[in-house]
Every structure is written in C-alpha cells, then in structure tokens.
Coordinates of all heavy atoms in Angstrom, one line a residue:
M1391 N -152.4 -1.6 -13.3 CA -151.7 -0.4 -13.6 C -151.2 0.2 -12.3 O -150.1 0.9 -12.3 CB -152.8 0.5 -14.3 CG -152.1 1.8 -14.8 SD -151.0 1.4 -16.1 CE -150.7 3.0 -16.7
R1392 N -151.9 0.1 -11.2 CA -151.4 0.6 -9.9 C -150.1 -0.1 -9.5 O -149.2 0.5 -8.9 CB -152.4 0.5 -8.8 CG -153.5 1.5 -9.0 CD -154.3 1.6 -7.7 NE -155.3 2.6 -7.9 CZ -156.0 3.1 -6.9 NH1 -155.9 2.7 -5.7 NH2 -156.9 4.1 -7.1
A1393 N -150.0 -1.4 -9.9 CA -148.8 -2.1 -9.6 C -147.6 -1.5 -10.3 O -146.5 -1.4 -9.8 CB -148.9 -3.6 -9.9
L1394 N -147.8 -1.1 -11.6 CA -146.8 -0.4 -12.3 C -146.4 0.9 -11.7 O -145.2 1.2 -11.6 CB -147.2 -0.3 -13.8 CG -146.2 0.3 -14.7 CD1 -145.0 -0.6 -14.9 CD2 -146.9 0.6 -16.1
L1395 N -147.4 1.6 -11.3 CA -147.1 2.9 -10.6 C -146.3 2.7 -9.3 O -145.4 3.5 -8.9 CB -148.3 3.7 -10.3 CG -149.0 4.3 -11.6 CD1 -150.3 5.0 -11.2 CD2 -148.1 5.3 -12.3
D1396 N -146.7 1.6 -8.6 CA -145.9 1.3 -7.3 C -144.5 1.0 -7.7 O -143.6 1.4 -6.9 CB -146.6 0.1 -6.6 CG -147.9 0.5 -6.0 OD1 -148.1 1.7 -5.7 OD2 -148.7 -0.4 -5.7
I1397 N -144.2 0.3 -8.7 CA -142.8 0.0 -9.1 C -142.1 1.2 -9.5 O -140.9 1.4 -9.1 CB -142.8 -1.0 -10.3 CG1 -143.3 -2.4 -9.8 CG2 -141.4 -1.2 -10.9 CD1 -143.5 -3.4 -10.9
V1398 N -142.7 2.2 -10.2 CA -142.1 3.5 -10.5 C -141.8 4.2 -9.3 O -140.7 4.8 -9.2 CB -143.0 4.3 -11.5 CG1 -142.5 5.7 -11.6 CG2 -143.2 3.6 -12.8
L1399 N -142.7 4.3 -8.3 CA -142.4 5.0 -7.0 C -141.3 4.3 -6.3 O -140.5 5.1 -5.7 CB -143.7 5.0 -6.2 CG -144.8 5.9 -6.7 CD1 -146.1 5.7 -5.9 CD2 -144.4 7.4 -6.7
I1400 N -141.2 3.0 -6.3 CA -140.1 2.3 -5.6 C -138.8 2.7 -6.3 O -137.8 2.9 -5.6 CB -140.3 0.8 -5.6 CG1 -141.5 0.5 -4.6 CG2 -139.1 0.1 -5.1 CD1 -142.0 -0.9 -4.7
I1401 N -138.8 2.7 -7.6 CA -137.5 3.0 -8.3 C -137.1 4.5 -8.1 O -135.9 4.8 -7.9 CB -137.7 2.8 -9.9 CG1 -137.8 1.3 -10.1 CG2 -136.6 3.4 -10.7 CD1 -138.2 0.9 -11.5
L1402 N -138.1 5.4 -8.0 CA -137.8 6.8 -7.6 C -137.2 6.9 -6.2 O -136.2 7.6 -6.0 CB -139.0 7.7 -7.8 CG -139.5 7.9 -9.2 CD1 -140.8 8.7 -9.2 CD2 -138.4 8.6 -10.1
Q1403 N -137.7 6.2 -5.3 CA -137.2 6.1 -3.9 C -135.8 5.6 -3.9 O -134.9 6.1 -3.2 CB -138.1 5.4 -3.0 CG -139.2 6.1 -2.4 CD -138.7 7.3 -1.5 OE1 -137.9 7.1 -0.7 NE2 -139.3 8.4 -1.8
L1404 N -135.6 4.5 -4.6 CA -134.3 3.9 -4.8 C -133.3 4.9 -5.4 O -132.1 5.0 -4.9 CB -134.3 2.6 -5.6 CG -133.0 1.8 -5.7 CD1 -132.6 1.3 -4.3 CD2 -133.3 0.7 -6.7
G1405 N -133.7 5.7 -6.3 CA -132.8 6.7 -6.9 C -132.4 7.7 -5.9 O -131.3 8.2 -5.9
I1406 N -133.3 8.1 -5.0 CA -133.0 9.1 -4.0 C -131.9 8.5 -3.1 O -130.9 9.2 -2.7 CB -134.2 9.5 -3.2 CG1 -135.1 10.4 -4.0 CG2 -133.8 10.3 -1.9 CD1 -136.5 10.7 -3.4
W1407 N -132.1 7.2 -2.7 CA -131.1 6.6 -1.8 C -129.7 6.5 -2.5 O -128.7 6.6 -1.8 CB -131.6 5.3 -1.3 CG -132.7 5.5 -0.2 CD1 -134.0 5.3 -0.4 CD2 -132.5 6.0 1.1 NE1 -134.7 5.6 0.8 CE2 -133.8 6.1 1.7 CE3 -131.4 6.5 1.8 CZ2 -134.0 6.5 3.0 CZ3 -131.6 6.9 3.1 CH2 -132.9 7.0 3.7
V1408 N -129.7 6.2 -3.7 CA -128.5 6.1 -4.5 C -127.8 7.4 -4.5 O -126.6 7.5 -4.4 CB -128.7 5.5 -5.9 CG1 -127.5 5.7 -6.8 CG2 -129.1 4.0 -5.8
L1409 N -128.5 8.5 -4.8 CA -127.9 9.8 -4.8 C -127.4 10.2 -3.4 O -126.3 10.8 -3.3 CB -129.0 10.9 -5.2 CG -129.3 10.9 -6.7 CD1 -130.6 11.7 -6.9 CD2 -128.1 11.5 -7.5
I1410 N -128.1 9.9 -2.3 CA -127.6 10.2 -1.0 C -126.3 9.3 -0.7 O -125.3 9.9 -0.2 CB -128.7 9.9 0.0 CG1 -129.8 10.9 -0.1 CG2 -128.1 9.9 1.5 CD1 -131.0 10.6 0.7
A1411 N -126.3 8.1 -1.1 CA -125.1 7.2 -0.9 C -123.9 7.8 -1.7 O -122.8 7.8 -1.2 CB -125.4 5.8 -1.3
Q1412 N -124.1 8.2 -2.9 CA -123.1 8.8 -3.7 C -122.5 10.1 -3.1 O -121.3 10.3 -3.1 CB -123.5 9.0 -5.1 CG -122.5 9.2 -6.1 CD -122.2 10.7 -6.5 OE1 -123.0 11.5 -6.2 NE2 -121.1 10.9 -7.2
A1413 N -123.4 10.9 -2.6 CA -123.0 12.2 -2.0 C -122.2 11.9 -0.7 O -121.1 12.5 -0.5 CB -124.2 13.1 -1.6
I1414 N -122.6 11.0 0.1 CA -121.9 10.6 1.3 C -120.5 10.0 1.0 O -119.5 10.4 1.6 CB -122.7 9.7 2.2 CG1 -123.9 10.4 2.8 CG2 -121.9 9.1 3.3 CD1 -124.9 9.6 3.5
L1415 N -120.5 9.1 0.0 CA -119.2 8.6 -0.4 C -118.3 9.6 -0.9 O -117.1 9.6 -0.7 CB -119.4 7.4 -1.4 CG -118.2 6.6 -1.7 CD1 -117.6 5.9 -0.5 CD2 -118.5 5.6 -2.8
S1416 N -118.8 10.6 -1.7 CA -117.9 11.6 -2.2 C -117.4 12.5 -1.1 O -116.2 12.9 -1.1 CB -118.7 12.5 -3.2 OG -119.6 13.3 -2.6
W1417 N -118.2 12.7 0.0 CA -117.7 13.5 1.1 C -116.6 12.7 1.9 O -115.6 13.3 2.3 CB -118.8 13.8 2.1 CG -119.8 14.8 1.6 CD1 -119.7 15.7 0.6 CD2 -121.1 14.9 2.1 NE1 -120.8 16.4 0.4 CE2 -121.7 16.0 1.3 CE3 -121.8 14.3 3.1 CZ2 -123.0 16.3 1.6 CZ3 -123.1 14.7 3.3 CH2 -123.7 15.7 2.6
L1418 N -116.8 11.4 2.0 CA -115.8 10.6 2.7 C -114.5 10.5 1.9 O -113.4 10.5 2.5 CB -116.3 9.1 2.9 CG -117.5 9.0 3.9 CD1 -118.0 7.6 3.9 CD2 -117.1 9.4 5.3
I1419 N -114.6 10.5 0.6 CA -113.4 10.5 -0.2 C -112.7 11.9 -0.1 O -111.5 12.0 0.0 CB -113.7 10.1 -1.7 CG1 -114.1 8.7 -1.7 CG2 -112.5 10.4 -2.6 CD1 -114.7 8.2 -3.0
A1420 N -113.5 13.0 -0.2 CA -113.0 14.3 -0.2 C -112.3 14.6 1.2 O -111.2 15.3 1.2 CB -114.1 15.4 -0.4
F1421 N -112.8 14.1 2.3 CA -112.2 14.4 3.6 C -111.2 13.3 4.0 O -110.8 13.2 5.1 CB -113.3 14.5 4.7 CG -114.1 15.8 4.5 CD1 -115.5 15.7 4.3 CD2 -113.5 17.0 4.5 CE1 -116.2 16.8 4.2 CE2 -114.2 18.1 4.4 CZ -115.6 18.1 4.2
N1422 N -110.8 12.4 3.0 CA -109.8 11.4 3.2 C -110.1 10.4 4.3 O -109.2 9.9 5.0 CB -108.4 12.1 3.4 CG -107.4 11.4 2.6 OD1 -107.7 10.5 1.9 ND2 -106.1 11.9 2.8
V1423 N -111.4 10.2 4.6 CA -111.8 9.1 5.5 C -111.6 7.8 4.8 O -111.1 6.8 5.5 CB -113.2 9.3 5.9 CG1 -113.7 8.2 6.8 CG2 -113.4 10.7 6.7
V1424 N -112.0 7.7 3.6 CA -111.7 6.5 2.8 C -111.0 6.9 1.5 O -111.1 8.1 1.1 CB -113.0 5.7 2.4 CG1 -113.7 5.1 3.6 CG2 -113.9 6.6 1.6
N1425 N -110.2 6.1 0.9 CA -109.6 6.5 -0.3 C -109.9 5.5 -1.4 O -110.3 4.4 -1.2 CB -108.1 6.6 -0.1 CG -107.4 5.4 0.4 OD1 -107.9 4.3 0.2 ND2 -106.3 5.6 1.0
L1426 N -109.6 5.9 -2.6 CA -110.0 5.1 -3.8 C -108.9 4.0 -4.1 O -109.1 3.2 -5.0 CB -110.1 6.0 -5.0 CG -111.3 6.9 -5.0 CD1 -111.3 7.9 -6.2 CD2 -112.6 6.1 -5.0
R1427 N -107.9 3.9 -3.3 CA -107.0 2.8 -3.4 C -107.6 1.4 -2.9 O -107.1 0.4 -3.3 CB -105.7 3.1 -2.6 CG -104.8 4.1 -3.3 CD -103.5 4.3 -2.6 NE -103.3 5.7 -2.5 CZ -103.0 6.4 -1.4 NH1 -102.9 5.7 -0.3 NH2 -102.8 7.7 -1.5
N1428 N -108.6 1.6 -2.0 CA -109.3 0.4 -1.6 C -110.2 -0.1 -2.7 O -111.0 0.7 -3.3 CB -110.1 0.7 -0.4 CG -110.8 -0.5 0.2 OD1 -111.0 -1.5 -0.4 ND2 -111.2 -0.3 1.5
Q1429 N -110.0 -1.4 -3.1 CA -110.8 -1.9 -4.3 C -112.3 -1.8 -4.1 O -113.0 -1.5 -5.0 CB -110.4 -3.3 -4.6 CG -109.0 -3.4 -5.2 CD -108.6 -4.8 -5.5 OE1 -109.3 -5.7 -5.2 NE2 -107.5 -5.0 -6.2
F1430 N -112.8 -2.1 -2.9 CA -114.2 -2.1 -2.6 C -114.8 -0.6 -2.8 O -115.8 -0.4 -3.4 CB -114.5 -2.6 -1.2 CG -116.0 -2.5 -0.9 CD1 -116.9 -3.4 -1.4 CD2 -116.4 -1.5 0.0 CE1 -118.3 -3.3 -1.1 CE2 -117.8 -1.4 0.3 CZ -118.7 -2.3 -0.3
V1431 N -114.0 0.3 -2.2 CA -114.5 1.7 -2.3 C -114.4 2.2 -3.7 O -115.3 2.9 -4.2 CB -113.6 2.6 -1.4 CG1 -113.9 4.1 -1.6 CG2 -113.7 2.2 0.1
E1432 N -113.4 1.8 -4.4 CA -113.2 2.3 -5.8 C -114.3 1.6 -6.7 O -114.9 2.3 -7.5 CB -111.9 1.9 -6.3 CG -111.4 2.6 -7.6 CD -111.7 1.7 -8.8 OE1 -111.8 0.5 -8.7 OE2 -111.9 2.3 -9.9
G1433 N -114.7 0.4 -6.5 CA -115.7 -0.3 -7.2 C -117.1 0.3 -6.9 O -117.9 0.6 -7.8
L1434 N -117.3 0.6 -5.6 CA -118.6 1.2 -5.2 C -118.7 2.6 -5.8 O -119.8 3.0 -6.3 CB -118.7 1.3 -3.7 CG -120.0 1.8 -3.1 CD1 -121.1 0.9 -3.4 CD2 -119.8 1.9 -1.6
W1435 N -117.6 3.4 -5.8 CA -117.6 4.7 -6.4 C -117.9 4.7 -7.9 O -118.7 5.5 -8.3 CB -116.3 5.4 -6.1 CG -116.1 6.7 -6.8 CD1 -115.4 7.0 -7.9 CD2 -116.8 7.9 -6.4 NE1 -115.6 8.3 -8.2 CE2 -116.5 8.9 -7.3 CE3 -117.7 8.3 -5.4 CZ2 -117.0 10.2 -7.3 CZ3 -118.2 9.5 -5.4 CH2 -117.8 10.5 -6.3
R1436 N -117.3 3.8 -8.6 CA -117.6 3.6 -10.0 C -119.0 3.3 -10.3 O -119.6 3.9 -11.2 CB -116.7 2.6 -10.6 CG -115.3 3.0 -11.0 CD -114.6 2.0 -11.8 NE -113.3 2.5 -12.0 CZ -112.4 1.8 -12.7 NH1 -112.7 0.6 -13.2 NH2 -111.2 2.2 -12.9
I1437 N -119.6 2.4 -9.5 CA -121.0 2.0 -9.7 C -121.9 3.1 -9.5 O -122.8 3.5 -10.3 CB -121.3 0.8 -8.9 CG1 -120.6 -0.5 -9.4 CG2 -122.8 0.5 -8.9 CD1 -120.8 -1.7 -8.5
L1438 N -121.7 3.8 -8.3 CA -122.6 4.9 -8.0 C -122.4 6.1 -9.0 O -123.4 6.7 -9.3 CB -122.3 5.4 -6.6 CG -122.7 4.4 -5.5 CD1 -122.3 4.9 -4.1 CD2 -124.2 4.2 -5.5
H1439 N -121.2 6.3 -9.4 CA -121.0 7.4 -10.3 C -121.6 7.1 -11.7 O -122.1 8.0 -12.3 CB -119.4 7.6 -10.5 CG -119.1 8.9 -11.2 ND1 -119.3 10.1 -10.7 CD2 -118.6 9.0 -12.5 CE1 -118.9 11.0 -11.6 NE2 -118.4 10.3 -12.7
Q1440 N -121.5 5.9 -12.1 CA -122.1 5.5 -13.4 C -123.6 5.6 -13.4 O -124.2 5.9 -14.4 CB -121.6 4.1 -13.9 CG -120.2 4.1 -14.3 CD -119.7 2.7 -14.6 OE1 -120.5 1.7 -14.4 NE2 -118.5 2.6 -15.1
I1441 N -124.2 5.3 -12.3 CA -125.7 5.4 -12.1 C -126.1 6.8 -12.1 O -127.1 7.2 -12.8 CB -126.1 4.6 -10.9 CG1 -125.9 3.1 -11.1 CG2 -127.6 4.9 -10.6 CD1 -126.1 2.3 -9.8
T1442 N -125.4 7.7 -11.3 CA -125.9 9.0 -11.1 C -125.5 10.0 -12.1 O -126.2 11.0 -12.4 CB -125.5 9.5 -9.7 OG1 -124.1 9.5 -9.6 CG2 -126.1 8.6 -8.6
E1443 N -124.3 9.8 -12.8 CA -123.8 10.8 -13.6 C -124.6 11.2 -14.8 O -124.8 12.3 -15.2 CB -122.4 10.4 -14.1 CG -121.7 11.4 -14.9 CD -121.4 12.7 -14.1 OE1 -121.4 12.7 -12.9 OE2 -121.2 13.8 -14.8
P1444 N -125.3 10.2 -15.5 CA -126.1 10.6 -16.7 C -127.3 11.5 -16.3 O -127.8 12.3 -17.1 CB -126.7 9.2 -17.2 CG -125.7 8.2 -16.7 CD -125.2 8.7 -15.4
F1445 N -127.8 11.4 -15.0 CA -128.9 12.3 -14.6 C -128.4 13.6 -14.0 O -129.1 14.6 -14.1 CB -129.7 11.5 -13.6 CG -130.3 10.3 -14.1 CD1 -129.7 9.0 -13.7 CD2 -131.3 10.3 -14.9 CE1 -130.3 7.8 -14.2 CE2 -131.9 9.1 -15.4 CZ -131.3 7.9 -15.0
C1446 N -127.2 13.6 -13.4 CA -126.7 14.8 -12.8 C -126.0 15.7 -13.8 O -126.0 17.0 -13.6 CB -125.7 14.5 -11.7 SG -126.5 13.8 -10.2
R1447 N -125.4 15.2 -14.8 CA -124.6 16.0 -15.8 C -125.4 17.1 -16.5 O -125.0 18.2 -16.5 CB -124.0 15.1 -16.9 CG -123.0 15.8 -17.8 CD -122.4 15.0 -18.9 NE -121.7 13.8 -18.3 CZ -122.0 12.6 -18.7 NH1 -123.0 12.3 -19.5 NH2 -121.4 11.6 -18.1
P1448 N -126.6 16.8 -17.0 CA -127.4 17.9 -17.6 C -127.7 19.0 -16.6 O -127.7 20.2 -16.9 CB -128.7 17.3 -18.1 CG -128.4 15.8 -18.2 CD -127.3 15.5 -17.2
I1449 N -128.0 18.6 -15.4 CA -128.4 19.6 -14.3 C -127.1 20.4 -14.0 O -127.1 21.6 -13.8 CB -128.9 18.9 -13.1 CG1 -130.2 18.2 -13.4 CG2 -129.1 19.9 -11.9 CD1 -130.8 17.3 -12.3
R1450 N -126.0 19.7 -13.9 CA -124.7 20.4 -13.6 C -124.3 21.4 -14.7 O -123.8 22.5 -14.4 CB -123.6 19.3 -13.4 CG -122.3 19.8 -12.8 CD -121.3 18.7 -12.6 NE -121.8 17.7 -11.7 CZ -121.9 16.4 -11.9 NH1 -121.6 16.0 -13.1 NH2 -122.4 15.6 -11.0
N1451 N -124.6 21.0 -15.9 CA -124.3 21.9 -17.1 C -125.2 23.1 -17.1 O -124.8 24.2 -17.5 CB -124.4 21.1 -18.4 CG -123.2 20.1 -18.5 OD1 -122.2 20.2 -17.9 ND2 -123.4 19.1 -19.4
A1452 N -126.4 23.0 -16.6 CA -127.4 24.1 -16.6 C -127.1 25.1 -15.5 O -127.4 26.2 -15.6 CB -128.8 23.5 -16.6
L1453 N -126.6 24.6 -14.4 CA -126.3 25.4 -13.2 C -125.1 26.2 -13.4 O -124.1 25.8 -14.0 CB -126.2 24.6 -11.9 CG -127.4 23.9 -11.4 CD1 -127.1 23.0 -10.2 CD2 -128.5 24.9 -11.0
P1454 N -125.0 27.4 -12.8 CA -123.8 28.2 -12.9 C -122.7 27.6 -12.0 O -123.0 26.9 -11.0 CB -124.2 29.6 -12.4 CG -125.4 29.4 -11.6 CD -126.1 28.2 -12.2
R1455 N -121.4 27.8 -12.3 CA -120.3 27.3 -11.5 C -120.3 27.9 -10.1 O -120.5 29.1 -10.0 CB -119.0 27.6 -12.2 CG -118.9 27.1 -13.6 CD -118.5 25.6 -13.6 NE -118.4 25.1 -14.9 CZ -118.9 24.0 -15.3 NH1 -119.4 23.2 -14.5 NH2 -118.7 23.6 -16.6
M1456 N -120.1 27.1 -9.1 CA -120.3 27.6 -7.7 C -119.1 27.2 -6.9 O -119.2 26.6 -5.8 CB -121.5 27.1 -7.1 CG -122.8 27.7 -7.8 SD -124.3 27.1 -7.1 CE -124.3 27.7 -5.5
S1457 N -117.9 27.4 -7.4 CA -116.6 27.2 -6.6 C -116.5 25.9 -5.9 O -116.3 25.9 -4.7 CB -116.3 28.4 -5.7 OG -117.3 28.4 -4.6
G1458 N -116.7 24.8 -6.6 CA -116.5 23.5 -6.1 C -117.7 22.9 -5.4 O -117.6 21.7 -5.0
I1459 N -118.8 23.6 -5.3 CA -120.0 23.0 -4.7 C -120.9 22.5 -5.8 O -121.3 23.2 -6.7 CB -120.7 24.1 -3.8 CG1 -119.9 24.6 -2.7 CG2 -122.0 23.5 -3.3 CD1 -120.5 25.7 -2.0
D1460 N -121.2 21.2 -5.7 CA -122.0 20.5 -6.7 C -123.5 20.4 -6.1 O -123.7 19.6 -5.2 CB -121.5 19.2 -7.1 CG -122.2 18.5 -8.2 OD1 -123.0 19.2 -8.9 OD2 -122.0 17.3 -8.4
L1461 N -124.4 21.2 -6.6 CA -125.7 21.1 -6.2 C -126.6 20.2 -7.0 O -127.8 20.1 -6.8 CB -126.3 22.5 -6.1 CG -125.7 23.5 -5.1 CD1 -126.3 24.8 -5.2 CD2 -125.8 22.9 -3.7
S1462 N -126.1 19.6 -8.1 CA -126.9 18.8 -9.0 C -127.6 17.7 -8.3 O -128.7 17.4 -8.6 CB -126.1 18.4 -10.2 OG -125.0 17.6 -9.8
P1463 N -126.9 16.9 -7.4 CA -127.7 15.9 -6.7 C -128.9 16.4 -5.9 O -129.9 15.7 -5.9 CB -126.7 15.2 -5.7 CG -125.4 15.5 -6.3 CD -125.5 16.8 -7.0
L1464 N -128.7 17.5 -5.3 CA -129.8 18.1 -4.5 C -131.0 18.5 -5.4 O -132.1 18.2 -5.1 CB -129.3 19.3 -3.7 CG -130.4 20.1 -2.9 CD1 -130.9 19.2 -1.8 CD2 -129.8 21.3 -2.3
I1465 N -130.7 19.1 -6.5 CA -131.7 19.5 -7.5 C -132.4 18.2 -8.0 O -133.6 18.2 -8.2 CB -131.1 20.3 -8.7 CG1 -130.4 21.6 -8.1 CG2 -132.1 20.6 -9.7 CD1 -131.3 22.6 -7.5
L1466 N -131.6 17.2 -8.3 CA -132.2 16.0 -8.8 C -133.1 15.3 -7.8 O -134.1 14.8 -8.1 CB -131.1 15.0 -9.2 CG -131.5 13.7 -10.0 CD1 -132.3 14.0 -11.2 CD2 -130.3 12.9 -10.3
I1467 N -132.7 15.3 -6.5 CA -133.6 14.8 -5.5 C -134.9 15.6 -5.4 O -135.9 15.0 -5.2 CB -132.8 14.8 -4.1 CG1 -131.8 13.7 -4.1 CG2 -133.8 14.6 -3.0 CD1 -130.8 13.7 -2.9
L1468 N -134.8 16.9 -5.5 CA -136.0 17.7 -5.5 C -136.9 17.4 -6.7 O -138.1 17.3 -6.6 CB -135.7 19.2 -5.5 CG -135.1 19.7 -4.2 CD1 -134.6 21.1 -4.3 CD2 -136.0 19.5 -3.0
I1469 N -136.3 17.1 -7.9 CA -137.1 16.8 -9.0 C -137.8 15.4 -8.8 O -138.9 15.2 -9.2 CB -136.2 16.8 -10.3 CG1 -135.8 18.2 -10.7 CG2 -136.9 16.1 -11.5 CD1 -134.7 18.3 -11.7
I1470 N -137.0 14.5 -8.3 CA -137.6 13.1 -8.0 C -138.8 13.2 -7.0 O -139.8 12.6 -7.2 CB -136.5 12.2 -7.5 CG1 -135.5 11.8 -8.6 CG2 -137.1 10.9 -6.9 CD1 -134.3 11.0 -8.2
I1471 N -138.6 14.0 -6.0 CA -139.7 14.2 -5.0 C -140.9 14.9 -5.7 O -142.0 14.5 -5.4 CB -139.2 15.0 -3.8 CG1 -138.2 14.2 -3.0 CG2 -140.4 15.5 -2.9 CD1 -137.5 15.0 -1.9
F1472 N -140.7 15.8 -6.5 CA -141.8 16.4 -7.3 C -142.5 15.4 -8.1 O -143.7 15.4 -8.1 CB -141.3 17.6 -8.1 CG -142.3 18.2 -9.0 CD1 -143.2 19.0 -8.5 CD2 -142.3 17.9 -10.4 CE1 -144.2 19.6 -9.3 CE2 -143.3 18.5 -11.2 CZ -144.2 19.3 -10.7
L1473 N -141.7 14.6 -8.8 CA -142.4 13.5 -9.6 C -143.2 12.5 -8.8 O -144.2 12.1 -9.2 CB -141.3 12.8 -10.4 CG -140.7 13.5 -11.6 CD1 -139.5 12.7 -12.2 CD2 -141.7 13.8 -12.6
E1474 N -142.6 12.2 -7.6 CA -143.4 11.3 -6.7 C -144.7 11.9 -6.3 O -145.7 11.2 -6.3 CB -142.5 11.0 -5.5 CG -141.4 10.0 -5.7 CD -140.6 9.7 -4.5 OE1 -140.7 10.5 -3.5 OE2 -139.9 8.7 -4.4
R1475 N -144.7 13.2 -6.0 CA -145.9 13.8 -5.5 C -146.9 13.9 -6.7 O -148.1 13.8 -6.4 CB -145.6 15.3 -5.0 CG -144.7 15.3 -3.8 CD -145.3 14.6 -2.6 NE -144.5 14.7 -1.4 CZ -143.8 13.8 -0.9 NH1 -143.8 12.6 -1.4 NH2 -143.1 14.0 0.2
V1476 N -146.4 14.2 -7.9 CA -147.4 14.3 -9.0 C -148.0 12.9 -9.2 O -149.2 12.8 -9.4 CB -146.6 14.8 -10.3 CG1 -147.4 14.5 -11.5 CG2 -146.2 16.2 -10.1
I1477 N -147.2 11.9 -9.2 CA -147.7 10.5 -9.3 C -148.7 10.2 -8.2 O -149.8 9.7 -8.5 CB -146.6 9.5 -9.4 CG1 -145.8 9.6 -10.7 CG2 -147.2 8.1 -9.3 CD1 -144.6 8.8 -10.8
M1478 N -148.4 10.5 -7.0 CA -149.2 10.1 -5.8 C -150.5 10.9 -5.8 O -151.6 10.4 -5.5 CB -148.5 10.3 -4.5 CG -147.4 9.4 -4.3 SD -148.0 7.7 -4.1 CE -148.9 7.8 -2.6
Y1479 N -150.5 12.2 -6.1 CA -151.7 13.0 -6.0 C -152.6 13.1 -7.2 O -153.7 13.3 -7.1 CB -151.3 14.4 -5.5 CG -150.7 14.5 -4.2 CD1 -149.5 15.3 -3.9 CD2 -151.2 13.7 -3.1 CE1 -149.0 15.3 -2.6 CE2 -150.6 13.8 -1.8 CZ -149.5 14.6 -1.6 OH -148.9 14.6 -0.4
Y1480 N -151.9 13.0 -8.4 CA -152.7 13.2 -9.6 C -152.9 12.0 -10.5 O -153.9 11.8 -11.1 CB -152.1 14.3 -10.5 CG -152.1 15.7 -9.7 CD1 -150.9 16.2 -9.2 CD2 -153.3 16.3 -9.5 CE1 -150.9 17.4 -8.6 CE2 -153.3 17.5 -8.8 CZ -152.1 18.0 -8.4 OH -152.1 19.2 -7.7
V1481 N -151.9 11.1 -10.5 CA -152.0 10.0 -11.4 C -152.6 8.8 -10.7 O -153.5 8.1 -11.2 CB -150.6 9.6 -12.0 CG1 -150.6 8.4 -12.9 CG2 -150.0 10.8 -12.8
Y1482 N -152.0 8.5 -9.5 CA -152.5 7.3 -8.8 C -153.9 7.2 -8.5 O -154.6 6.2 -8.6 CB -151.6 7.2 -7.5 CG -151.5 5.8 -6.9 CD1 -150.6 4.9 -7.4 CD2 -152.4 5.4 -5.8 CE1 -150.5 3.6 -6.9 CE2 -152.3 4.2 -5.3 CZ -151.4 3.3 -5.8 OH -151.3 2.0 -5.3
P1483 N -154.6 8.3 -8.0 CA -156.0 8.2 -7.7 C -156.9 8.0 -9.0 O -158.0 7.5 -8.9 CB -156.4 9.6 -7.1 CG -155.1 10.1 -6.6 CD -154.0 9.6 -7.5
N1484 N -156.4 8.4 -10.1 CA -157.2 8.3 -11.3 C -157.0 7.0 -12.1 O -157.7 6.7 -13.1 CB -156.8 9.4 -12.3 CG -157.2 10.8 -11.7 OD1 -158.2 10.9 -11.0 ND2 -156.4 11.8 -12.0
V1485 N -156.2 6.1 -11.6 CA -155.9 4.8 -12.2 C -156.8 3.8 -11.5 O -156.9 3.7 -10.3 CB -154.4 4.4 -12.1 CG1 -154.2 3.0 -12.6 CG2 -153.6 5.4 -12.8
I1486 N -157.5 3.0 -12.3 CA -158.3 2.0 -11.7 C -157.6 0.7 -11.3 O -156.7 0.3 -12.0 CB -159.5 1.6 -12.7 CG1 -160.3 2.8 -13.0 CG2 -160.3 0.4 -12.2 CD1 -161.3 2.7 -14.0

C-alpha cells in the first residue's frame, strides 16, 4: 500500500512540474520569446494545455475575473501541495 501512496505522491509532484512548465511556456509565448508557428513549441503547448486545462478550468471559473491574470495554476499548485501534506502526515504513517 505504501508503494501505491509513493506513486500517488510522484504523480502529484509531476503535476506541479507540468503546471510550472505550462506557466513558463505561456509567459514565453506572451512575451514573444517563442511563437506558436514553431511546430515543436505548438505541439508542446497543446500537450501541456490538454493536461492542465481540465484541472484549471473549474478553478478559473470559480475565481473572479482579474484583468488578464490567471491565478488558477497557482491555486492548483497550492491544492496539490495540501494533498501531498495530508498524504504524508496523516495517511502514510497509518498504512502498514
């Protein structure tokens, strides 16, 4: 059972890194450092967007509009960190 919890924790960490990568790529696109005409950038953007959008959309819909600032990835990262802490402090020690 601990192995399953370890896999869940690894997936949650991977989710944080995917959210960070998506945020950095969105900044690079917004500041015109890279553009979506490049096939690699466009493919990477689609993959990251398809992975993160189903989790960010409900948070984005719940938050008030903030003039172009999207805080949903930050809120999602905080939720993931909270879930990790709950698993580490309350679930993991009680599993044999």
